[in-house]
């Protein structure tokens, strides 16, 4: 059993514990490499099936390839695909891209971080608790329809990894969130061996992290080993750049890299060329404490 | 073609607050070149800007509230590399309030660095940490005696700490640490580079001591332990596999092996090893989260332990354990808690506190009627139903448990030994009987499909003359008329025949129970819903009946005029109409998923 096997086996165990204990369980799918590995692991855990819905928060600023890839995979794997959105903020233009032209200090100006708060954090919290409408993919027509199910989710599987950035390294496999989706880092329950926090008070929910012990290199090695389809944005298409982490178009900068396939990405990660650059450095919204605070308030 | 993934080891750094854990970790990061570029400079700059002296510890302080409080709050998982392997390093905090975080980290660590402050010497927390590492199963321990610069790098001082701590660990039965290393985290001595100021020390540096740890050998050669995590039947897209899923905690199993399940004593044979996107395999061993289909479909549930017949686990309702309590409210007698062990969850009570271990002195302390927050104790507990487990000398995952109070895990520990309960002999009889039971050509699943329900025993209990017989008859009739295969077993009929050789005396009660249960067991094996009524066997005997019938559900209905709390599954006053009683029993069977 090698290291990847061990990581895989632990993730599968966590998936099955989550499925057992949370009747209202869903999995967040950001379409990036981590959540795609997560999806694959779910199929490993459930012998080819994905017995819970996937939730995607659509900021409307995702790169179009991501959305195409999302729906293609959902139809192919027959996934229950739920999409949530902060439609009001988008319609009212209360976003960073829509107010980018305004001078700093203008009352209507929305900073990058505030934009994340509105389009991701708020949309996520309100989609999970069912306060805002959810759209569900009709696998027959390939179109999204209003989901009549508005019940809150109590278990939310998330693809966070401990090595990504400081605050994520503080997570547990099963990490409780209070009524306001907030994360009380100081008061987390203990996690003995493989006994997780699976009892929860009404109104609260639990975030589940099957990928906590994985690193970026593990993710790519696993993608290679299992031959998992990934979106083309991760690879250099001839411009000498590629995305290392996927977010919204306006806040996302590609990195200088000529890695054209999975092997080359693995080589690049191993060679140490990227070793000294934080993975999310292309994400322009990650300020000093900003992300940490957003996470505590419920951002994934 | 694929390059083998690098070896990885998770380690935990424990020690009292301010002993220098974060400094050790920060230093190891910097020395092994594991920091992102610019991080060290950024922290140095930030310190210069705020006028704070630079500390290696700051490297780890990614969280703002942690910096505000000036202490490391949680188990931060970070990674650093040596030529030999990658380390996942869990920076465990030392404040007693944060013991639960230390536990979360240490419970999944393969090795530990225990940091002692050379100047402070061995304190309460060092002893508690030593005790906990041992309880949590961390076998590979290095003790780093830090801040040697503050004690003139004195050899005698170091040796004294070493011998004191070794004898403490020995006194609590903890494994002897591999190595004691004198270090100075702040100057970087004996971390990754040997100290040139402590030439009297010839042992390895901290880093090479870690690299010398060998990974624990695979548990494939131990007896098979496979706790059932779930039974899956997804039915989507024509998939009709019924898969018994779980993780093999030890041992190995192959296609064609006969396996038994405890505590139900059911058995079957491995048909297939199931997996998604993986090559077919005929044998699988410890470490794999897998799934099996069985040649004979049997009713089993989560929490059962699948093993080979030759090495079954312990089964009891009582065991003795070492545990730590972390709950805000104490662990008390006469209160129900939830016990979680491998994949099993049952109701549990504290029966006895055998001793409270006090970490402030190396000895043990007197008793108290409860186990308080941060207490380490040797206890006896009793579960409501029998569970399958091992003691810690025989198993790990099957000997480790947690206790849940309300919504939170409030304590955890390891089982030292099974304790006798009153049903032990019956359980042994049932195990022998069931493991050697000759099965007919019709399986329980086939009978279940024919009758529309699995077999179950509903026992009416209560004093003579409360109307048990009348209601049991009504229930039998109602079930039968709605198409179920029901049979009323009146205890009198067993007395008249099977028991006719017996002379009524107090000492024969056990034998009466045994015979009654064995008769019921035959009827249950025939697939029936058995509704029993007897004066001879009461609520006090139900545990014994259940011990003899571990493979079928046993439900109790107590008929009792007066109020109060009944320990039966259902309580009737005897005033209900027959129709009403029958409906209530049907509802009970439905709620237990015996009837649809
Ligand atoms: N003199 C001396 N001070 C040290 C040494 N290691 C750590 N310290 C100091 O001890 C204090 C606590 O260290 P820290 O790493 O934060 O301890 P933690 O609470 O165990 O993580 C800091 O002020 C460090 O500078 C050492 O080897 N020698």
């Amino acid at each position: 059993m090698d290291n990847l096997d061990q990581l895989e086996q632990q993730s599968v165990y966590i998936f099955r514990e989550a499925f057992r204990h949370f009747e209202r369980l869903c999995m967040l799918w950001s379409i990036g490499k981590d959540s795609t590995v997560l999806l694959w692991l779910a199929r490993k855990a459930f012998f080819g099936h994905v017995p819970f819905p996937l939730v995607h928060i659509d900021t409307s600023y995702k790169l179009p390839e991501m959305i195409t890839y999302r729906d293609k995979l959902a139809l192919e794997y027959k996934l229950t695909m739920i999409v949530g959105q902060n439609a009001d903020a988008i319609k009212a233009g209360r976003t960073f891209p829509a107010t980018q032209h305004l001078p700093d200090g203008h009352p209507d100006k929305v900073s990058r971080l505030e934009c994340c708060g509105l389009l991701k954090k708020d949309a996520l919290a309100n989609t999970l608790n069912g306060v805002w409408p959810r759209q569900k993919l009709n696998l027959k027509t390939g179109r999204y329809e209003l989901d009549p199910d508005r019940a809150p989710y109590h278990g939310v599987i998330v693809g966070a990894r401990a090595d990504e950035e400081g605050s994520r390294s503080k997570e547990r496999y099963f990490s409780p969130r209070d009524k306001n989706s907030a994360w009380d880092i100081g008061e987390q329950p203990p996690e003995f061996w493989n006994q997780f926090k699976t009892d929860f008070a009404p109104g609260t929910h639990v975030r589940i992290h099957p990928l906590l012990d994985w690193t970026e290199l593990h993710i790519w090695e696993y993608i290679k080993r299992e031959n998992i389809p990934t979106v083309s944005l991760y690879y250099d298409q001839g411009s000498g750049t590629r995305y290392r982490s996927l977010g919204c178009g306006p806040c996302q900068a590609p990195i200088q890299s000529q890695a054209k396939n999975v092997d080359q990405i693995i080589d690049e990660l191993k060679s140490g060329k990227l070793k000294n650059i934080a993975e999310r450095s292309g994400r322009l919204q990650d300020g000093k404490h900003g992300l940490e605070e957003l996470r505590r308030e419920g951002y994934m | 073609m694929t390059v083998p993934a690098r070896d990885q080891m998770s380690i935990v750094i424990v020690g009292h607050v301010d002993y220098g854990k974060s400094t050790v970790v920060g230093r190891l990061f910097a020395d092994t070149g594991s920091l992102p570029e610019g991080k060290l400079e950024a922290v140095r700059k930030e310190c210069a800007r705020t006028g704070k002296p630079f500390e290696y510890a700051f490297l780890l302080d990614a969280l703002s509230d942690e910096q505000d409080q000036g202490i490391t709050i949680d188990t931060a998982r970070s990674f650093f590399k040596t030529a030999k392997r990658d380390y996942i390093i869990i920076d465990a905090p030392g404040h007693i309030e944060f013991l639960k975080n230390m536990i979360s980290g240490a419970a999944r660590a393969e090795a530990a660095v225990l940091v002692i402050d050379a100047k402070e010497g061995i304190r309460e927390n060092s002893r508690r940490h030593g005790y906990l590492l041992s309880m949590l199963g961390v076998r590979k321990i290095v003790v780093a005696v830090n801040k040697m610069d503050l004690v003139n790098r004195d050899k005698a001082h170091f040796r004294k700490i070493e011998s004191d701590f070794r004898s403490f660990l020995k006194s609590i039965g903890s494994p002897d640490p591999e190595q004691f290393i004198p270090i100075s985290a702040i100057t970087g001595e004996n971390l990754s580079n040997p100290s040139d100021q402590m030439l009297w020390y010839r042992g390895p540096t901290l880093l090479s001591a870690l690299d010398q740890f060998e990974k624990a050998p695979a548990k494939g050669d131990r007896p098979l332990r496979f706790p059932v995590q779930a039974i899956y039947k997804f039915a989507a897209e024509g998939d009709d596999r019924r898969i018994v899923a779980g993780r093999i905690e030890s041992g190995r199993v192959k296609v064609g092996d006969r396996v038994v399940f405890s505590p139900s004593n059911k058995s079957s044979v491995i048909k297939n090893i199931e997996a998604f996107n993986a090559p077919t395999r005929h044998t699988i061993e410890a470490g794999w989260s897998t799934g099996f289909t069985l040649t004979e479909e049997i009713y089993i549930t989560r929490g059962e332990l699948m093993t080979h017949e030759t090495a079954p686990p312990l089964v009891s309702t009582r065991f003795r354990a070492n545990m730590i309590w972390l709950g805000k409210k104490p662990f008390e007698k006469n209160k129900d808690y939830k016990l979680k062990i491998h994949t099993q969850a049952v109701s549990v009570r504290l029966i006895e506190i055998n001793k409270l271990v006090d970490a402030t002195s190396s000895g043990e302390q007197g008793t108290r009627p409860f186990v308080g927050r941060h207490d380490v104790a040797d206890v006896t507990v009793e579960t409501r139903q029998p569970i399958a487990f091992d003691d810690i000398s025989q198993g790990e995952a099957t000997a480790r448990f947690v206790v849940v109070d309300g919504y939170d895990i409030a304590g955890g520990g390891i089982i030292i030994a099974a304790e006798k309960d009153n049903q032990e002999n019956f359980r042994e009889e049932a195990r022998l009987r069931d493991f050697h039971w000759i099965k007919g050509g019709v399986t329980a699943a086939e009978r279940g499909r024919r009758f529309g329900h699995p077999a179950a025993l509903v026992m009416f209990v209560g004093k003579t003359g409360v109307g048990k017989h009348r209601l049991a008859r009504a229930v039998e009739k109602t079930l039968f008329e709605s198409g179920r295969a029901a049979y009323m077993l009146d205890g009198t009929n067993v007395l008249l025949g099977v028991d006719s050789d017996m002379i009524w005396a107090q000492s024969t009660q056990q034998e009466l129970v045994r015979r009654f249960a064995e008769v019921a067991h035959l009827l249950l094996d025939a697939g029936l819903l058995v509704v029993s009524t007897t004066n001879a066997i009461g609520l006090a005997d139900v545990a014994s009946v259940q011990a003899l019938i571990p493979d079928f559900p046993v439900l109790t209905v107590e008929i009792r005029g007066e109020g109060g709390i009944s320990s039966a599954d259902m309580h009737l006053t005897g005033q209900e109409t027959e129709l009403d009683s029958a409906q209530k029993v049907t509802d009970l069977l439905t709620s237990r998923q015996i009837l649809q």
Side-chain angles (χ1 to χ4, degrees):
Chain A
M1 215 183 201
D2 67 19
N3 197 216
L4 274 186
D5 289 330
Q6 281 172 10
L7 289 166
E8 178 192 60
Q9 299 312 303
Q10 179 69 358
S11 301
V12 164
Y13 190 82
I14 291 167
F15 262 109
R16 291 180 182 164
E17 286 302 285
F19 183 53
R20 159 73 193 198
H21 291 283
F22 297 90
E23 218 171 295
R24 295 289 307 173
L25 179 69
C26 71
M27 183 169 112
L28 297 190
W29 193 26
S30 73
I31 308 158
K33 59 188 187 303
D34 300 321
S35 50
T36 302
V37 164
L38 203 58
L39 175 59
W40 193 263
L41 288 165
R43 299 172 81 209
K44 286 263 176 186
F46 305 110
F47 304 94
H49 304 270
V50 182
F52 38 73
L54 265 63
V55 171
H56 176 65
I57 299 304
D58 188 356
T59 60
S60 80
Y61 292 108
K62 298 281 174 194
L63 300 159
E65 285 97 317
M66 293 170 69
I67 303 299
T68 313
Y69 170 84
R70 175 190 77 191
D71 292 346
K72 182 176 157 275
L73 229 58
L75 292 170
E76 192 180 316
Y77 294 173
K78 304 216 170 8
L79 304 173
T80 308
M81 188 72 229
I82 304 288
V83 174
Q85 190 170 62
N86 189 344
D88 290 349
I90 294 169
K91 210 154 91 206
R94 278 189 299 123
T95 70
F96 166 74
T99 62
Q100 210 170 351
H101 59 282
L102 297 173
D104 280 341
H106 189 285
D108 292 340
K109 175 128 184 166
V110 177
S111 73
R112 291 182 196 272
L113 207 62
E114 284 161 356
C115 186
C116 274
L118 289 163
L119 300 194
K120 292 187 187 168
K121 191 199 86 186
D122 291 353
L124 178 61
N126 288 292
T127 302
L128 293 180
N129 65 20
V131 171
W132 291 357
R134 299 166 176 158
Q135 301 288 327
K136 181 176 171 179
L137 181 63
N138 180 327
L139 292 177
K140 289 201 189 82
T141 63
R143 290 177 185 286
Y144 281 87
E145 295 163 359
L146 196 66
D147 185 7
D149 173 15
R150 298 287 287 267
Y153 293 109
H154 296 134
V156 184
I157 301 169
V158 180
R161 304 193 325 262
D163 74 325
E164 272 172 297
E165 33 96 1
S167 68
R168 289 193 180 189
S169 66
K170 307 286 172 171
E171 291 280 14
R172 299 262 157 92
Y173 290 135
F174 283 59
S175 180
R177 295 296 195 272
D178 72 10
K179 287 196 168 87
N180 308 311
S181 286
W183 178 32
D184 186 346
I185 300 166
E187 262 312 311
Q188 297 191 81
E191 217 163 56
F192 280 86
W193 307 298
N194 284 311
Q195 300 295 351
F196 309 121
K197 162 129 181 122
T198 50
D199 300 273
F200 54 96
T204 63
H205 75 268
V206 177
R207 295 264 168 115
I208 299 139
H209 303 114
L211 292 183
L212 206 55
D213 296 336
W214 295 57
T215 62
E216 186 183 7
L217 181 58
H218 291 137
I219 293 287
W220 283 110
E221 285 177 333
Y222 192 69
I223 287 172
K224 175 181 158 75
R225 188 182 93 173
E226 297 285 322
N227 210 357
I228 303 172
T230 42
V231 30
S232 60
L233 296 162
Y234 283 116
Y235 311 103
D236 172 26
Q237 314 277 351
S239 63
T241 62
R242 66 178 192 87
Y243 289 94
R244 189 172 174 198
S245 144
L246 297 179
C248 297
C251 290
Q252 182 79 335
I255 59 162
Q256 299 296 321
S257 158
Q258 280 156 30
K260 294 189 170 55
N261 53 44
V262 180
D263 282 311
Q264 291 176 4
I265 290 180
I266 292 174
D267 284 346
E268 190 176 67
L269 285 169
K270 281 192 172 160
S271 74
K273 187 171 161 265
L274 301 178
K275 190 178 108 198
N276 295 327
I277 306 164
E279 185 180 349
R280 292 172 62 99
S281 56
R283 298 243 191 148
L284 305 173
Q285 78 273 32
D286 292 12
K288 181 151 167 34
H289 287 317
L291 203 68
E292 157 66 22
E293 258 139 46
L294 271 186
R295 276 178 65 64
R296 246 187 266 177
E297 289 163 21
Y299 174 59
M300 70 165 281
Chain B
M1 204 192 76
T2 36
V3 203
R6 271 170 62 84
D7 190 17
Q8 200 176 51
M9 180 175 273
S10 53
I11 61 170
V12 68
I13 318 276
V14 299
H16 192 67
V17 69
D18 276 346
Y19 279 13
K21 296 175 301 298
S22 310
T23 310
V24 168
V25 177
R27 193 87 212 197
L28 286 177
F29 267 60
D31 289 359
T32 54
S34 306
L35 292 167
E37 199 163 281
K39 184 93 175 182
L40 194 61
E41 289 67 39
V43 175
R44 280 193 199 278
K45 261 199 214 130
E46 179 76 10
C47 286
R49 196 179 62 78
T50 52
K52 272 196 283 184
F54 169 79
E55 291 261 4
Y56 278 96
F58 294 161
L59 287 167
L60 302 178
D61 295 340
L63 288 178
S64 50
D65 70 345
E66 187 177 275
Q67 285 167 341
D68 293 344
Q69 291 185 33
I71 37 177
T72 314
I73 290 195
D74 208 340
T75 48
R77 265 165 277 199
S78 325
F79 299 79
F80 80 96
K81 298 174 200 301
T82 65
K84 170 140 184 182
R85 58 166 77 103
D86 295 351
Y87 289 92
I88 304 178
I89 183 161
I90 308 171
D91 176 34
H95 248 206
I96 183 144
E97 301 90 87
F98 301 134
L99 210 55
K100 59 183 161 51
N101 296 324
M102 178 243 160
I103 284 166
S104 309
R108 66 174 61 104
E110 292 163 85
V113 178
L114 200 150
V115 180
I116 292 181
D117 185 320
K119 193 147 180 246
E120 296 281 324
I122 300 157
R123 289 289 188 86
E124 169 187 354
N125 239 353
S126 309
R127 280 191 285 262
R128 183 180 270 114
H129 288 151
Y131 195 94
L132 285 176
L133 288 178
S134 151
M135 191 183 90
L136 291 166
V138 187
R139 297 269 173 278
K140 301 179 189 57
I141 302 172
V142 220
V143 180
V145 180
N146 189 28
K147 307 195 187 177
M148 284 302 290
D149 54 304
L150 298 183
V151 296
N152 299 320
R153 299 182 171 78
D154 182 45
K155 178 180 175 182
H157 189 91
F158 169 76
R159 292 291 176 219
K160 173 93 175 66
I161 290 179
E162 169 168 5
S163 70
D164 286 356
F165 204 59
R166 278 196 199 273
S167 52
F168 164 73
L169 291 174
K170 201 167 166 208
S171 76
I172 57 163
S174 163
D176 203 28
E178 217 84 2
Q179 200 77 50
F180 277 69
I181 307 176
I183 64 165
S184 170
I186 222 156
T187 59
E189 287 166 71
N190 285 336
L191 287 176
S192 48
N193 299 312
S195 166
D196 54 11
Q197 297 185 68
M198 288 185 275
L199 294 171
W200 50 264
Y201 173 77
R202 289 164 188 274
T205 60
L206 183 58
L207 216 51
S208 48
L210 289 174
D211 274 351
Q212 277 165 26
F213 281 137
E214 292 302 328
K215 299 279 283 184
K219 294 182 199 127
D221 295 330
R222 310 250 296 265
L224 173 67
R225 292 293 182 262
F226 177 83
V228 175
Q229 198 175 4
I231 314 289
Y232 294 133
K233 187 155 183 184
F234 291 107
E237 292 158 64
D239 183 353
D240 60 359
R241 291 173 298 175
R242 188 169 177 277
I243 301 174
V244 183
R247 173 158 63 189
I248 305 179
E249 299 292 356
S250 67
R252 61 168 57 86
V253 65
K254 50 183 199 303
V255 171
D257 277 6
R258 180 167 186 262
V259 287
V260 296
F261 294 83
S262 299
S264 78
N265 294 346
K266 291 188 184 174
S267 61
S268 191
V269 172
I270 302 287
K271 184 171 163 194
N272 257 320
I273 297 169
E274 300 290 340
F276 167 75
N277 200 43
T280 316
R281 42 194 314 168
H282 297 282
T283 168
I284 192 159
E285 67 282 325
W288 292 93
S289 286
T290 180
F292 305 100
T293 47
L294 303 175
T295 53
E296 185 198 328
E297 228 181 83
I298 49 175
Y299 293 112
I300 40 169
T301 52
R302 179 181 160 103
E304 296 217 43
L305 203 51
M306 182 179 99
T307 68
H308 287 114
E309 186 191 322
T310 43
L314 301 168
V315 173
S316 184
T317 58
R318 263 179 189 253
F319 59 78
R320 185 166 175 170
N322 280 344
M323 70 177 303
I324 169 126
W325 190 256
L326 301 161
K328 286 191 180 131
K329 285 184 269 167
F331 187 34
E332 301 172 301
K333 293 183 186 174
N334 300 317
K335 186 181 160 195
D336 290 322
Y337 296 87
K338 179 155 96 182
L339 177 100
K340 296 213 283 183
I341 178 166
H342 53 86
T343 55
Q344 180 67 280
V346 287
S347 180
V348 72
R349 282 183 174 214
L350 172 63
I351 298 298
E352 206 59 68
I353 299 170
N354 305 313
K355 75 192 171 204
L356 278 173
V357 180
D358 181 11
T360 50
S361 69
S362 71
E364 291 133 20
Q365 203 187 238
T367 46
R368 226 189 290 139
F370 59 85
V371 185
R373 194 171 204 197
H374 300 140
D375 277 349
V376 174
D378 171 335
V379 297
T380 298
V381 301
E382 186 172 272
T383 57
R384 192 159 171 165
Q385 290 95 31
I387 53 168
F389 58 88
D390 287 298
D391 65 46
I392 195 69
S393 69
Q394 298 300 312
E396 279 180 4
T398 46
R400 296 167 167 174
F401 66 89
V402 295
V403 175
V404 179
D405 186 10
Y407 298 116
D408 284 321
I409 292 175
I414 51 174
I415 299 180
I416 303 302
E419 290 215 333
K420 281 192 197 307
D421 59 14
N422 296 329
Q423 291 81 48
E424 220 183 24
N425 296 339
F426 285 164
R427 214 170 276 129
E428 207 39 53
E429 170 178 333
R431 185 178 261 183
L432 216 62
R433 178 197 68 202
D434 291 343
F435 284 1
H436 297 103
W437 194 259
I438 314 272
K439 291 181 183 176
V442 183
T443 68
E446 284 165 342
R447 279 183 218 282
R449 271 193 290 275
R450 166 74 58 85
F451 298 151
H453 54 78
L457 172 63
V458 181
M459 287 179 74
F460 277 80
V461 292
K463 293 200 188 102
T464 313
V466 288
K468 295 190 294 293
H469 174 80
R470 182 176 61 89
L471 296 182
R473 258 174 73 117
V475 171
E476 180 204 30
K477 190 93 179 145
T478 307
L479 288 172
F480 183 78
E481 304 224 297
S482 56
R484 274 75 182 236
Y487 178 78
M488 190 192 76
L489 173 65
D490 196 307
T492 308
N493 298 340
V494 182
L495 283 175
L496 288 170
V498 173
D499 295 340
S500 64
D501 60 330
M502 289 176 64
I503 301 149
W504 183 257
Q506 196 53 46
S507 61
T508 54
Q509 179 66 13
Q510 289 277 304
E511 184 58 16
L512 276 180
V513 170
R514 196 188 70 78
R515 293 185 185 192
F516 171 84
E518 288 292 0
V519 169
H521 186 257
L522 285 169
L523 296 170
L524 291 165
D525 194 50
L528 303 177
L529 285 176
V530 180
V531 185
S532 78
T533 164
T534 143
N535 284 331
I537 295 169
L539 264 183
D541 300 308
V542 170
S544 297
V545 173
Q546 178 81 79
L548 283 158
I549 307 178
D551 40 351
F552 297 97
V554 176
L555 304 178
T556 48
V557 180
E558 187 183 18
I559 320 267
R560 190 168 46 136
E562 64 270 37
I565 298 161
S566 170
S567 63
D569 294 296
M570 201 171 98
H571 174 212
L572 296 175
T573 61
Q575 303 305 310
E576 296 85 353
T577 63
E578 289 171 10
L579 210 67
D580 198 17
S581 311
Q583 186 57 49
K584 286 203 163 108
V585 172
T586 309
D587 291 347
L588 176 66
L589 287 167
T590 309
S591 77
R592 299 294 169 95
Q593 282 156 353
I594 292 161
L595 294 182
Q596 302 288 325

